[in-house]
Every structure is written in C-alpha cells, then in structure tokens.
Amino acid sequence: MKNLLFQFCFIVCAVIMPFQAAADECYVRGDADGDGVITIKDVTLIVDYLLAGQWPTQEFVVNDVPFTMVTVQGGTFMMGSPNPENAHQVTLSTFSIGQTEVTRGLWKAVMGYMPWSVPDTLLEKPIGHIYYSECLTFIEKLNEITGLTFRLPTEAEWEYAARGGQNSRGYLYAGSDDVDEVAWNPTNCSSEQPVGLKKPNELGLYDMSGNVWEMTKDWYGNYGTEPEVNPTGPDTPSTPNARRCRGGGYWSSDSTASSCTVFTRGMWYADRRFFDLGFRLVLVME
C-alpha cells in the first residue's frame, strides 16, 4: 500500500501539476480523461492505471501537431544479448520516452521547415536524413517552446523501454517474438512507414523495433562488466565521431530482420546523414 501511495503521489505531482502553465504554442492535457479539466474523475483514472500496472501518458501539442510521452517506471535489468558474457546489470531511474519516433510533422512544427521536400500526406512517417547537430537543434527549440527538458535517450534507457520495463515479457523484439507483428523491416517493406501502425510493446511504445534506426546519446563503445546505475556510455568514442543507434529499420545490409532485436547495437557517424536513421525523445523528469 505504501508503494501504491508513493506512485499515486508521484503521478499527481510529477505529471499533472507541472503542466498547468504551458505556453500558448504548446499545451499538455494533464487530465487523464482528456476533457480539459482536472477533476476527481481524473484521479480515479490514474489510480486505475496504477492498479493495472500501467503508467499514464502525457500528451503535448506543438503548433497543432500532437505527440505523446510514456512514463517508464525505473528498475533493474540485464542489458545486452542473451549471452551472459555480453550482458551486465543496469539500474535506471524513472523516465518518460516518446510513444513513437519523432515524425516529419513534428519536425516541421518545431523547426518550421523540412530538410527536404515532403508532401503533407507523408508527415506521419519518422524524420530521417538529418545530422546529429540538426537533431540537437530540434530538441533545443522544442525545449524553448515547451519550457521543459527533452533529450535523446541513453542506450540503457532505450533498451529498457524496448524490453517493456517492469512489464517486460522477455520478447526478442519490442513487443513480440514475431518480428512482423511489431517491426517494419527488410523482409516486409522497402521504406519508412507511418508511425504507430504495428503492434506496440508492453509499455504501449510503437516501432521500437524496426521502421528507422534511432539515435541515442551514447558514444560508440563496448559494455563494461560491472553493475551500473543510470549509465551514459563511454566518455569518448572508440571510433572517431561514432555513436550508438538502436532498433533496426527497414534497411539492412544482409536483408534480414536480425538488427531489430531489443539488444542489437548499431553505429552511426554524427557528421553524416542516413535516410534510415531517426530518433525518439526522452523527457527529463525533475
């Protein structure tokens, strides 16, 4: 019961209250039923979320383009492949991660332009073909608009969320052992697809496996062997200007879906653009 009360207080204080004074360009519906007013009904719905083992979402709208963040309750897990020699224990604090990859529509709403010409009918697809520096500029502008602090996920946060956090069922891919249920991959498509069309994982997150690869904050490097708490990766890359990416995508050099597992680690160079590389947001929880 104490744990439930703690979770309830956390949700009320950390999710509902801070979002009452959002800027005109961006609003957040902190009320659980989405009617624009916080009442006892919202409190009841939040309790129902907790009792069901689920966590509420936070909806943001920037220049009429919505996006949703999902709270991931912290915990401890074994990060890495099923091979014990390539896994180590990681403990993470609670964080909030994007329900989907950042879309072209959200990019345009924040930046005011597209890196290339895109028809309005394709704005639900994930943004790609951007430099790392452009990604950081997007996040900086989003933070200015919202008054909040968004960033890229760490590699550990990404993997924990992809695995389903405390709701994990141990799937090979994010939400299933059948890759085609959850992932757009080289075996079922040849280009990026609109976000959210496949089955979500245990946390309600879409496209953690497949569609486009996703940037993380971490430099490229090997795992350590000792248990870690909120790791942020190596201080410097083992390969110049190289960073970790996760999730796999619609393109693979071997034309298989093997890169879409929850533990596969990819690499990209921060000074280059890749059509099949996008990103997902994390919201820093004060």
Side-chain angles (χ1 to χ4, degrees):
M1 180 60 70
K2 288 183 178 179
N3 186 46
L4 180 60
L5 286 174
F6 170 79
Q7 292 176 336
F8 173 74
C9 292
F10 170 80
I11 293 299
V12 171
C13 296
V15 176
I16 294 178
M17 295 180 64
F19 299 137
Q20 299 305 297
D24 290 341
E25 301 91 337
C26 171
Y27 67 84
V28 182
R29 292 205 303 247
D31 58 302
D33 62 3
D35 65 358
V37 180
I38 296 176
T39 66
I40 190 64
K41 180 181 178 183
D42 300 299
V43 176
T44 301
L45 286 172
I46 290 172
V47 171
D48 289 341
Y49 282 133
L50 295 174
L51 291 176
Q54 299 172 342
W55 286 72
T57 59
Q58 304 159 49
E59 184 178 349
F60 296 77
V61 179
V62 177
N63 294 330
D64 297 325
V65 177
F67 67 100
T68 301
M69 305 295 293
V70 176
T71 303
V72 182
Q73 187 178 12
T76 299
F77 75 111
M78 294 303 293
M79 181 176 178
S81 75
N83 183 343
E85 295 181 358
N86 296 321
H88 65 295
Q89 180 178 291
V90 170
T91 300
L92 294 175
S93 302
T94 296
F95 60 98
S96 187
I97 194 167
Q99 189 175 54
T100 70
E101 296 152 336
V102 171
T103 64
R104 296 169 177 178
L106 182 58
W107 178 277
K108 186 175 181 179
V110 172
M111 300 292 281
Y113 71 90
M114 290 295 298
W116 66 93
S117 179
V118 175
D120 288 344
T121 55
L122 301 180
L123 294 181
E124 290 302 311
K125 291 187 175 184
I127 188 68
H129 202 229
I130 55 173
Y131 291 116
Y132 175 64
S133 59
E134 292 177 303
C135 173
L136 296 184
T137 299
F138 168 91
I139 292 174
E140 180 180 354
K141 288 182 177 292
L142 179 62
N143 291 344
E144 291 175 357
I145 292 171
T146 61
L148 301 171
T149 304
F150 292 93
R151 59 169 172 80
L152 288 174
T154 65
E155 191 181 9
E157 288 170 338
W158 190 97
E159 182 172 325
Y160 182 62
R163 288 178 177 273
Q166 291 197 8
N167 295 344
S168 177
R169 297 175 185 171
Y171 291 130
L172 181 62
Y173 306 101
S176 178
D177 285 327
D178 180 352
V179 67
D180 289 327
E181 278 193 324
V182 295
W184 296 109
N185 65 85
T187 69
N188 61 25
C189 70
S190 58
S191 65
E192 64 273 81
Q193 301 295 313
V195 299
L197 296 183
K198 290 288 188 177
K199 176 185 173 182
N201 78 345
E202 299 94 316
L203 295 173
L205 304 174
Y206 294 88
D207 301 308
M208 294 292 284
S209 289
N211 213 357
V212 294
W213 287 87
E214 300 180 16
M215 302 178 185
T216 73
K217 285 186 63 178
D218 295 22
W219 288 113
Y220 178 77
N222 295 325
Y223 288 140
T225 58
E226 298 299 318
E228 296 181 288
V229 177
N230 295 323
T232 56
D235 293 331
T236 57
S238 57
T239 300
N241 212 30
R243 290 186 174 272
R244 282 294 184 188
C245 56
R246 288 300 203 104
Y250 67 86
W251 184 87
S252 173
S253 59
D254 60 4
S255 299
T256 72
S258 60
S259 61
C260 295
T261 68
V262 294
F263 52 80
T264 298
R265 311 175 80 194
M267 181 192 77
W268 101 96
Y269 293 100
D271 58 351
R272 301 181 191 176
R273 287 176 165 175
F274 299 91
F275 279 105
D276 60 337
L277 177 67
F279 66 100
R280 188 181 302 258
L281 296 167
V282 156
L283 173 62
V284 175
M285 306 184 75
E286 301 295 343

